[in-house]
Amino acid sequence: MAKAITGSFTITEELRINALGYGTATIPIGSLIDVGDAQALEVEAVDYIYMNFDSGTDTYEPVRAAAPYGSDVGFGAQLMDRNAGTFISAADNNLISSSMVQFDSANITTAATDFFPDDFQKTNGRFVVNDELYLVGYASSAAQASQNLCITVRIRAKVVKLSTRDWMAVSLETVQN
């Protein structure tokens, strides 16, 4: 079993996308954990926030018709512990969490998030032993001039010390991926 070394804390990261396609933000966590001492980051919850950022006025706004997109669009994000640069399959063990949104110019929005934690184990969260997490965002359309899709991820986590058994399981999973 894992023993908590810290209480829960929040890690945030922001990614801005204004072109069609993918963008990636790197979230360094290597300074939080000591892998040599069998420590891991236990991700307890992940929240996604989508906003429009107007670079012309330097302001954040709600996503709405014409901001950041002037037509129908699909966008989303995935949090993972592998630098894929694109979305990965929901069957991939490197996927920690994901969120997808469809928005049309008539202001109709549909959103979907996956369940979390995603590993069906007897823990309160997902163990990560890598030095970095990656926030990958995607938009199916380019944003309007001076408009940016701003994807913010808020990760609630704590540092834990893993038992030898848990450490081996996480290490084997990481090597297998």
Side-chain angles (χ1 to χ4, degrees), residues 4-73:
I5 294 176
T6 67
S8 295
F9 56 91
T10 302
I11 301 168
T12 60
E13 184 64 39
E14 179 181 292
L15 172 63
R16 292 183 189 164
I17 299 175
N18 62 5
L20 164 78
Y22 292 96
T24 302
T26 303
I27 306 167
I29 60 168
S31 64
L32 301 175
I33 58 174
D34 182 359
V35 176
D37 197 25
Q39 293 179 3
L41 186 71
E42 184 176 8
V43 177
E44 299 173 311
V46 180
D47 294 314
Y48 296 91
I49 303 165
Y50 296 98
M51 298 179 76
N52 178 57
F53 178 75
D54 187 329
S55 59
T57 60
D58 197 31
T59 56
Y60 291 91
E61 306 166 336
V63 172
R64 63 187 193 292
Y69 302 101
S71 61
D72 299 350
V73 65

Side-chain angles (χ1 to χ4, degrees), residues 38 46 57 62 79 88 95 102 141 143 146 164 167:
V46 180
T57 60
L79 182 67
I88 58 177
L95 181 64
Q102 293 176 337
S141 179
S146 79
T164 303
W167 176 253

Side-chain angles (χ1 to χ4, degrees), residues 101-140:
V101 176
Q102 293 176 337
F103 179 82
D104 70 22
S105 53
N107 284 328
I108 297 172
T109 305
T110 306
T113 56
D114 63 1
F115 62 93
F116 187 87
D118 63 353
D119 59 5
F120 297 108
Q121 295 183 24
K122 296 178 182 177
T123 65
N124 294 327
R126 164 76 185 276
F127 296 131
V128 177
V129 296
N130 295 9
D131 287 343
E132 297 172 329
L133 295 174
Y134 302 93
L135 173 62
V136 176
Y138 173 81
S140 66

